[in-house]
Structure formats: structure tokens, C-alpha cells
Amino acid sequence: MIFYIILKEGDLKYKLLIVEDDFIIAKGLQKHFEKYHYDVQYIEDFEHVLDEFLEFQPDLVLLDIHLPFFDGYYWCQEIRKISQVPIVFISSANENMNIVLAMNMGGDDFINKPFDLQVVQAKLQAILRRTYSFSKDFHLLTYQDVHLDILAGKITYQQKELILTKNELKILEYLFEHAEVIVSRIDLMNHLWDDHQFIDDNTLSVNMNRLRKKLEDIGLHDFIHTKKGLGYLLCLKTI
């Protein structure tokens, strides 16, 4: 699984506030995200959610719809009066109308219950990166024991590092963001060359083959797997 080391100025972690009245779910989310260097707090007093929001000052809110006293729509509106912090709804009430209402109230995304923690994490990472991409400290991606430094343009594994070209960096960045998920060639090409110029499909293959050979030099054998007819998959195999 991939995670970001997401530090702000002064080495503060990004803060995640969970507004979920099922404490088994809330504690499970807290335990999972704290492993990946988030500062996590969940609500216990559902009558004063906004007070706890103001005290904690989170960078992202995970918000259920069905809550005691007031529902998630209400708290989303209240938060939106004072903050543009990203809000992701998590709910089993996943009918289209609920999803549309959540977005209209100011939500940034909607995750259906039951959910996979990896899916939740991937969505949160994407939203945090889009929201706080101005932060120069939000730059280090890690998958298992492999570290990708976007600012320095290098990848590190077992104390060996490799300096990457622009295209190699963009390929790995996209694969890290979708670790253990198959990425299609089309999506990867669109990420690499987003200026809509015509690119021969063979150009991606040339870039990928060159990158794979370089990764082998630092011990990353078969780090990028080809799934025939589907695309590419990032998966670390120890030799």
C-alpha cells in the first residue's frame, strides 16, 4: 500500500477529523490512518461537532450522513460557512439523490459503506494533494520500502537511489498514486502528455523499458508489472 509522508511547516501532520457515530468504524479508521502519519481525531460529542472542528482545525473531514442530533448535511453546511476544508462523505445511504445532495451541500467526494480502507486512503490522498499541492513539503511518496521524492526527482530503495528523468518521474508518480491498482496505458499516456499532442503508443513502451532497466540497478526487479491487455501494476517483489 502507498502512503504519503505529509508534513507541513513545523513538521505538523495533516489532520483528519472523523464524524462517524459507529465507533468501531471510527476507531478502525483512526488506527489505520495513524499508521500512515496522519493526526486523527474522531467526534464523540455529536451535539457540538462544529466546536470540535474549530478546536482541532482539521485538513480534511470524513463525515457520515446519519448522525445523532443533526445529520451530516447540516454539519457540512455549518462547516462551509467558515471553512473550505475538504469534506468527504462516508455513508451506506448511497442512493443517487443522497450523493447529489452531499455534493450540493459542499462535499468533495462520497464513499459508500462498506468500504475498503485502501480505497478511502487513495481518495483522501488525491484530495489532499489537490488541495494542498502548494505546500512544498507534500512531496514524498512511499510504497512499502520504496521512496519517491518528487521534488528531488529521485527514487530510493535499500539505501540506493536513482535520479529520474522528467518522464520517468511522472510515470512513477502516477503508479505510486495507484499502487496495486492496474493503470491503463491510455491513462498513463494522458498523465505524461497532457497537452493533447499526438504521441505514438511506442513512445510509452520505450520510456517504460528504459525505466525498468534503471530500476533493476537499485534492486527493484519487476517493480512495474505488465498486465497484458490491461496496463501496468506497481508491486514490489523481494529477490
Side-chain angles (χ1 to χ4, degrees), residues 138-202:
F138 193 72
H139 68 276
L140 184 61
L141 290 79
T142 295
Y143 170 65
Q144 296 191 27
D145 295 323
V146 188
H147 309 285
L148 182 67
D149 190 326
I150 296 172
L151 285 185
K154 66 181 181 181
I155 187 169
T156 306
Y157 177 62
Q158 294 183 345
Q159 299 183 326
K160 296 180 180 179
E161 69 177 38
L162 172 67
I163 302 300
L164 304 164
T165 66
K166 179 182 176 181
N167 281 348
E168 291 166 350
L169 179 61
K170 292 183 75 173
I171 289 171
L172 285 171
E173 179 184 8
Y174 196 76
L175 291 173
F176 266 70
E177 289 174 347
H178 299 81
E180 299 183 1
V181 175
I182 296 174
V183 172
S184 72
R185 289 178 63 87
I186 293 297
D187 287 343
L188 192 51
M189 288 174 68
N190 287 337
H191 176 71
L192 278 168
W193 299 286
D194 55 6
D195 55 1
H196 306 293
Q197 62 177 318
F198 175 77
I199 298 295
D200 190 309
D201 185 67
N202 187 56

Side-chain angles (χ1 to χ4, degrees), residues 74-230:
Y74 171 83
W75 290 119
C76 184
Q77 287 183 301
E78 292 300 296
I79 291 171
R80 279 290 169 260
K81 292 176 182 178
I82 58 174
S83 174
Q84 292 301 311
V85 65
I87 297 174
V88 177
F89 280 87
I90 49 171
S91 179
S92 56
N94 55 13
E95 294 83 2
N96 287 341
M97 185 55 67
N98 289 314
I99 297 173
V100 170
L101 187 55
M103 298 300 101
N104 287 341
M105 290 293 179
D108 295 276
D109 207 337
F110 192 104
I111 299 174
N112 298 331
K113 293 180 181 176
F115 49 71
D116 186 303
L117 285 171
Q118 293 187 21
V119 173
V120 177
Q121 186 168 342
K123 284 181 176 285
L124 266 58
Q125 288 171 347
I127 291 171
L128 283 167
R129 191 147 191 241
R130 288 197 301 267
T131 305
Y132 303 108
S133 59
F134 59 83
S135 172
K136 291 185 177 180
D137 292 317
F138 193 72
H139 68 276
L140 184 61
L141 290 79
T142 295
Y143 170 65
Q144 296 191 27
D145 295 323
V146 188
H147 309 285
L148 182 67
D149 190 326
I150 296 172
L151 285 185
K154 66 181 181 181
I155 187 169
T156 306
Y157 177 62
Q158 294 183 345
Q159 299 183 326
K160 296 180 180 179
E161 69 177 38
L162 172 67
I163 302 300
L164 304 164
T165 66
K166 179 182 176 181
N167 281 348
E168 291 166 350
L169 179 61
K170 292 183 75 173
I171 289 171
L172 285 171
E173 179 184 8
Y174 196 76
L175 291 173
F176 266 70
E177 289 174 347
H178 299 81
E180 299 183 1
V181 175
I182 296 174
V183 172
S184 72
R185 289 178 63 87
I186 293 297
D187 287 343
L188 192 51
M189 288 174 68
N190 287 337
H191 176 71
L192 278 168
W193 299 286
D194 55 6
D195 55 1
H196 306 293
Q197 62 177 318
F198 175 77
I199 298 295
D200 190 309
D201 185 67
N202 187 56
T203 305
L204 177 59
S205 298
V206 171
N207 279 269
M208 189 64 75
N209 290 336
R210 184 183 300 123
L211 174 58
R212 280 170 163 158
K213 289 179 181 178
K214 293 173 72 172
L215 290 172
E216 289 178 358
D217 291 339
I218 60 171
L220 288 172
H221 301 272
D222 298 322
F223 188 49
I224 303 173
H225 296 256
T226 296
K227 295 296 181 179
K228 190 173 181 180
L230 297 174

